[in-house]
Amino acid sequence: MSQLANEHGAINLSQGFPDYPCHPALLDALTRAAQAGHNQYAPMAGLPALRQAIAAKLQLSRSIAVDADQEITITAGATQAIFTAIATVLHAGDEAIVLDPSYDSYAPAIAAQGATPVRIDLRAPDYAVDWQQVGDAVTPRTRVILINNPNNPSTSVFSIADLDALAAIAERHDLFVLADEVYEHLVFDGLEHRSVLAHAALRARSFAIYSFGKTFHATGWKIGYCVAPPIMTNEFRKIHQFLVFAVNAPAQHALAEHLAEPARWQALPAFFEAKRDRLAPGLRAAGFRLLPSRGTYFQLADFRNVSGGNSGAMSDVEFARWLTVAHGVACIPLSVFHADGHDAGLVRFCFAKRDETLDAASLRLASLNT
Ligand SMILES: Cc1ncc(COP(=O)(O)O)c(C=O)c1O
């Protein structure tokens, strides 16, 4: 959709990346780190100062004690951490449970190990997990359950009851959990993000994965990290060592410095909630019915009552193409996140954009009603 958006000069609310600059202090720290000569290989597990800064952040923000040396590994983005964690626990013939709609790297990473993704389809509007169904999907070959909380694209946020139910299944069948928590700070309306790291039973069997790209508006830096118990981290690093070896050194220095100021991540919920609320009226005015956006920086919208064209009869893929080409606003059809291509008449808009971009999109969408 980004390519189509570029071809047609459309405002790109499809892919999840900010169009505003990251914090000047972060850029300044990167420049200083490079100029200070931090341009050679970083330690394999990640810069100690960055791992310590992450441990301090976990302590401050969640009162979680993590051993920076034995439990944190810096990765080349969350996607690499996800791949490595999957490669750590899966062998050919194993199964991994994936809750759909899901981030597009999960299933291929599982398949690359010769394992099978067992996909459980969650449905709009709530995308609630039927944990009984998840438990029933476990077989003797199941090794890991993947979760993404807050969830891209559904925007759902797990409750404590969800985590308890997940823990019960994981403990009963002795499974690993891969918790993609890259949107940990993007939770709205006073909701609290419940991390697997704050849940004793899950903490003991989870790879928890994060992304500085999401947290510090720098998706192009591709730096993330994985937190897991020492024995799991040890195995994770055996693959990390030969897959990546070492992650960008100056950027690690810059991030270590940037993390020291808590306000930089504490401000994120209010920052994104304001952006969500800025885009919403324009979408509603254009005839979209909005699903609640509880977390992440995405808004799901039902397009079947949008006037203009023949939206009620279009598939979500047709609608997204039409909106991009004819009205100059790009979005993503939800069916691409479902293994079976389930089409619920929904598209996803990304609101991690400058206010001017969101306003310009609203203006273009207003033409749908004229
Ligand atoms: C759920 C989810 N996990 C992981 C990622 C990728 O993170 P990174 O850019 O750090 O690899 C994304 C990016 O869109 C995502 O939405």
Side-chain angles (χ1 to χ4, degrees), residues 6 31 77 104 152-153 158 184 235 237 266 285 298 304 313 317 334 356 359:
N6 290 338
T31 309
D104 58 4
N152 168 24
F158 278 175
E184 62 169 333
E235 296 303 301
R237 287 181 185 169
Q266 288 165 346
F298 301 112
R304 286 170 296 192
V317 174
L334 249 273
E356 303 88 283
D359 294 348

Side-chain angles (χ1 to χ4, degrees), residues 15-17 75-82 102-106 148-153 180-183 209-214 218-225 296-298 337 348:
Q15 221 180 339
F17 63 87
T75 61
T79 309
Q80 182 248 305
I82 291 163
S102 60
Y103 179 55
D104 58 4
S105 86
Y106 301 163
N148 173 210
N149 175 37
N151 185 277
N152 168 24
D180 177 344
E181 299 190 353
V182 300
Y183 298 105
I209 290 169
Y210 303 91
S211 169
F212 288 115
K214 304 294 175 189
T219 59
W221 286 30
K222 292 301 293 182
I223 300 188
Y225 55 101
T296 75
Y297 44 44
F298 301 112
F337 295 93
R348 189 198 77 179

Side-chain angles (χ1 to χ4, degrees), residues 171-186:
E171 286 196 308
R172 190 177 332 129
H173 300 283
D174 195 17
L175 305 176
F176 292 104
V177 170
L178 190 163
D180 177 344
E181 299 190 353
V182 300
Y183 298 105
E184 62 169 333
H185 294 301
L186 281 57

